[in-house]
Amino acid sequence: MTHDRRFTTQKIGKRIKLVERMIFRDRLPFAPFRITRLTSAEAEPPLGADASGWEVIPWDSYWGGQNLNYLMVSEITIPRGWTSGKIALHLPMGEAGDIFTHPESLLYIDGVPYASADRYHHTIYLPQDLADGHPHRIELHGWTGLSGWPPDPTDQSKLFMKPCAVVSIDLATRDFLSRAEVALDVARKLSDDRPEKHRILNALDAAFLQLDTRDPLGDAFYRSIPRAAEALEVGLARAGQPMDVTLHAIGHAHMDIAYLWPISQIRRKNARTYSNVLRLMERFPDYTFSHSQPQLYDYTAQDYPEIFDGIRARVAEGRWEVMGGMWVECDTNIPGGEALVRQLLLGRRYFRDTFGEVETPVLWLPDTFGLSWCLPQLIKQAGLKWMLTNKASWNQYNQIPASTTMWQGIDGTEVLTHSLTTPRSVQHLPFPTNYKSDLSGEEVIGTWQSSTVKERISDLPICYGYGDGGGGPTGQLIRRAEAWQGMPGVPKLEFSTVRAFFEAIEGEAPHLATWADEMYLEGHRGVLTSQGWIKRANRKAEIAAHDAEFLAARAGGAVARDALTEAWKLICLNQFHDILPGTSITEVFDDARKDYARIDALLAEVHPLNGGTALANTIPFAKTRTVTLPHDTMVDGVTQNAEDGILIQQTLPPYSVSDPAPETPQAGLSIAQDATGTVMENALIRLEFSADADLIRIYDKTAQREVLKPGEAGNRLQVFEDRPISWDAWDIDAFFEDRGEVITGLTRCEIVESGPLRVALRIERSYRNSRVAQVIRLTPHSKRIDFVTEVDWHETHLLLKVAFPVQVFSPNATYEIQWGSIERPTHRNTLWDYAKFEVPAHRWADLSEEGYGVALLNDCKYGYDIREDVMRLSLIKSATMPDPVADQGRHVFTYALLPHEGCWRGDVLAEAYELNMPPRLIGGTGDGRALVAALEPNVVVETVKPAEDGDGLIVRLFEAHRRRGPVTIRFADAPRSVQPVNLLEEDAGAPLPSDGPDVTLPLTPFQIVSLRVRF
Ligand SMILES: [Zn+2]
């Protein structure tokens, strides 16, 4: 073909490069910048200060290494009437690293924040009135970023400062080239059998023949631009029609609240990104921007009120789309059930209070590492309608069949869900997509090509704009979006919003395929375990908030509302998808530690959580519990002195406060040691340890069966070499078991507790540079065996797991998730099964046959694997990137093995709550009454809290056994009214009739019900 023989695509490509420099028609140099270094992102820049003594950065010189916060100053004077085009600042300040790492600055003109300059935003259009012949001070407050990917703290690279200038832009040249570039991109991407391809090349060829490119390029070139532009348009019009497919171009900036930068830096990034968006909106009247995460809006309102006023105005105008649903784009596997509710409650209330009823009803989680199966129900109960994600396409093996689907949740709720289809290659992944398109031919055309619902859906979103550290669209990108309009043979591209996209496809919902499962991410499996301390801090903070709210609700009266809200905001903030998963730099976790200390202090204002002897049972179950009282407590009855206090046994009602009243424990608890080993038992179960302290036998006395697999020990501490291919803190790869060993190295094994209420064996082992100490405990009234563990860990790239081979065989295991549980295969028949070699769970996972099973519980871990009859829990990961000191030092955690008769629906939930939530010892005295109790065992009252508006209590419960039917809730006193509400605490349905203290309501499998109760 002619164009092949004549290399037309290559020729046009070269021509575009040749004339690109003609976009800048004139240049007006100014004096090189002077710079002052700032101590941190938090440091206030000394705007307006005398800079005469500051260091000068000459043009064409190297400056600033990585991670430098700075303020630069210079001055521009633009003569009146100067310009033959549009005036702009051109700031080629240097490039380093990849997309995460570039010098980025907020430009102030005469002390007012104006727009941002960064790697992608080199050219900043200026207001015409600056051409007044007077000097204007320009200041750049910014950060140089980290060295690259992966970040290397020792990297000494410098940035290169090219000459900056005021320039005048030749708009006609700029626009012609933008259109020509897109046309060439389309021609390259279309296949040879498409007539449009060849006609577009004809159009380009004709256009460039009109261009006067005789040396030296000058006035004749500019005079020829209109002819060339017209030739191009005429040719394109002849080339064909666009496809009858609409791509909704959604301007977006993915903002990782913390990642390769601390939160203090994202607060600066906010100003840089948003000022840019506002300037672009002035220049492009059709341009819209869609943005999530109320936390970021809140920071901006605090830090940059003038920028926030600009946002408000654009929101009111309808061009800035407020959306997202949650307080931050959080992880959804690790946060607790109530925390996910609070993400929605805080997020939606903030938008409503700040902007009115404008939020687009979508849960926007493009970058979250796997989506919990509880989400569809939460989405609907929070008043949202749609879900958008992207990460599902980062699976290593399998693709969820429909890119647009009805996602059916654990309870049957269905939500219209779209997974972005814009392709971009990511290392070794088979079908990755992205939420930050550069609107290249590959990505625009690929967005349609990658859709797997072409028969039904001809509207698709394409999110464009730089991220993950903000940036957003550039003028160049927006012009590219415009240049796509009317392009023959390819999808139409329109400026649009998330709302417009979902509204366009909503009618197809009844015809879409259903996905009835969690959205398990086949990748990033290590995030369930990385930075073990923060998983623990989050779990403990969620429990403390739960307990403080229950106690505040019980106490009635005024609640320290601001303290409670601030505590929840901090809990939610730290659940961001790179903080709680453990995938940020060291500094981020240093900040998080301070936040968790602050959360404790705030919750103590809501209700003191210790400091007395009244026993607060904050779990929704009546349980016989072993309680540790302070050493000096005087009580009558059976007690046992322990290292941490006086033990008593007492049965406590759910959600109650009781005075200590020791009960007589069941007889039969004992522990004995001789040269052959140790035996520990109660009336229900017997444990035998070898002389090497291996747990070699667990015998269930009431079921009369062995628990462990014959010939195999339980509580095996296994260590595996953990060097994932790509993302160190994120991944555990399929080959992690290639090289592993069991920790032996026994240094101590002795009985440390031997009384009527608890027996305990302390085992210590050393391993390489690390030590593991475990206290294995048994109480008289339960088969639960607790392994209270403290590890001093000084290893890297090793994954520590504990394994229990058990005599139970089932094709499926059950794992607790928020607001329910999920079954997953224990075999590897298919690639879908194979991929789930490390899965998320909350407090328990269970492997049961008919009539008998074993549960493995934990008090702060999230990564499980149960393969055939071996149950394992991941304990420590110890990656070195991006945090070189991740998981070094002390780890404290407890896991427990619970052999049981029947299935997990028996006592597993109650035992898991008990393990996690010991009774609180609070001041005052107790009345021993359950504030609220479910009379059926399949109902869990998860939350008891003061209503947000102070009107009554909110009681949130759920069906936990996948059972249907009426259930009864009993309150301590007869309620005045019981009003069903949604997650935003708005009325949802008719009030429920009560019968004295009882309320009966119907429940369906895994249904969540929230009630406003007034007494
Ligand atoms: Zn992200």
Side-chain angles (χ1 to χ4, degrees), residues 726-796:
S726 299
W727 297 282
D728 198 13
W730 290 256
D731 285 1
I732 295 171
D733 277 336
F735 47 78
F736 80 93
E737 287 175 292
D738 286 358
R739 195 147 58 171
E741 59 187 328
V742 172
I743 294 182
T744 52
L746 185 67
T747 55
R748 184 180 170 194
C749 176
E750 66 174 304
I751 293 169
V752 288
E753 288 184 342
S754 172
L757 293 166
R758 197 165 70 195
V759 295
L761 179 68
R762 184 177 176 91
I763 297 172
E764 293 179 11
R765 300 182 192 275
S766 71
Y767 172 73
R768 293 166 60 96
N769 299 308
S770 304
R771 290 188 308 282
V772 181
Q774 292 197 298
V775 176
I776 302 171
R777 286 176 172 168
L778 196 63
T779 58
H781 53 270
S782 170
K783 293 177 185 174
R784 198 181 88 209
I785 309 153
D786 290 354
F787 301 82
V788 181
T789 307
E790 189 171 335
V791 181
D792 186 27
W793 191 251
H794 298 280
E795 317 297 333
T796 53

Side-chain angles (χ1 to χ4, degrees), residues 261-372:
W261 43 83
I263 289 172
S264 53
Q265 194 65 253
I266 203 76
R267 298 178 76 139
R268 302 301 189 189
K269 283 171 174 283
N270 283 342
R272 301 194 276 260
T273 298
Y274 305 153
S275 60
N276 249 331
V277 174
L278 296 175
R279 293 295 83 76
L280 289 169
M281 284 190 174
E282 289 163 1
R283 288 171 47 212
F284 298 94
D286 295 331
Y287 166 57
T288 55
F289 183 70
S290 303
H291 199 51
S292 55
Q293 309 200 94
Q295 173 73 80
L296 295 176
Y297 289 82
D298 194 33
Y299 282 147
T300 309
Q302 293 171 39
D303 300 344
Y304 296 92
E306 60 275 72
I307 292 176
F308 195 69
D309 286 346
I311 294 174
R312 245 182 219 291
R314 293 305 186 185
V315 170
E317 196 189 336
R319 290 176 63 197
W320 184 301
E321 183 179 33
V322 167
M323 54 99 193
M326 286 183 166
W327 183 245
V328 300
E329 290 178 19
C330 68
D331 183 81
T332 70
N333 283 320
I334 307 171
E338 185 63 22
L340 292 176
V341 170
R342 297 308 177 89
Q343 290 280 2
L344 291 157
L345 176 73
L346 288 170
R348 299 220 63 206
R349 284 173 73 103
Y350 177 87
F351 278 149
R352 190 174 289 184
D353 293 349
T354 310
F355 300 112
E357 299 285 338
V358 297
E359 185 189 2
T360 291
V362 63
L363 180 59
W364 177 268
L365 296 175
D367 197 25
T368 293
F369 311 146
L371 300 173
S372 169

Side-chain angles (χ1 to χ4, degrees), residues 46-203:
L47 297 167
D50 175 10
S52 55
W54 298 0
E55 182 190 334
V56 175
I57 305 173
W59 302 134
D60 292 318
S61 74
Y62 286 95
W63 68 286
Q66 61 171 309
N67 201 17
L68 168 68
N69 291 283
Y70 57 83
L71 183 70
M72 289 184 194
V73 180
S74 189
E75 201 173 75
I76 54 173
T77 303
I78 309 171
R80 274 176 209 281
W82 181 84
T83 174
S84 48
K86 175 77 187 145
I87 302 172
L89 263 181
H90 183 228
L91 301 172
M93 297 168 59
E95 295 186 14
D98 76 351
I99 56 168
F100 300 120
T101 54
H102 45 257
E104 50 182 50
S105 319
L106 178 61
L107 166 71
Y108 289 77
I109 300 177
D110 297 327
V112 178
Y114 184 72
S116 118
D118 59 43
R119 184 173 180 191
Y120 301 103
H121 301 80
H122 281 175
T123 307
I124 300 173
Y125 286 70
L126 297 176
Q128 207 67 31
D129 58 13
L130 281 184
D132 58 4
H134 298 301
H136 295 276
R137 185 179 171 99
I138 56 172
E139 291 164 298
L140 295 170
H141 174 214
W143 180 54
T144 53
L146 298 186
S147 66
W149 180 259
D152 173 7
T154 65
D155 187 295
Q156 298 294 316
S157 316
K158 296 275 187 182
L159 298 163
F160 191 73
M161 178 72 81
K162 292 183 193 162
C164 299
V166 176
V167 294
S168 81
I169 310 279
D170 190 78
L171 301 182
T173 303
R174 181 200 68 184
D175 294 348
F176 167 72
L177 286 178
S178 182
R179 184 79 163 156
E181 274 170 355
V182 168
L184 181 63
D185 209 6
V186 171
R188 282 189 179 128
K189 182 70 188 157
L190 288 178
S191 61
D192 251 5
D193 57 356
R194 298 283 296 275
E196 298 95 334
K197 175 188 181 101
H198 307 283
R199 294 174 192 160
I200 291 170
L201 289 175
N202 292 346

Side-chain angles (χ1 to χ4, degrees), residues 592-607:
R593 282 189 171 84
K594 292 176 204 152
D595 283 347
Y596 286 107
R598 172 101 182 114
I599 290 165
D600 283 346
L602 289 163
L603 292 175
E605 285 179 44
V606 175
H607 196 285

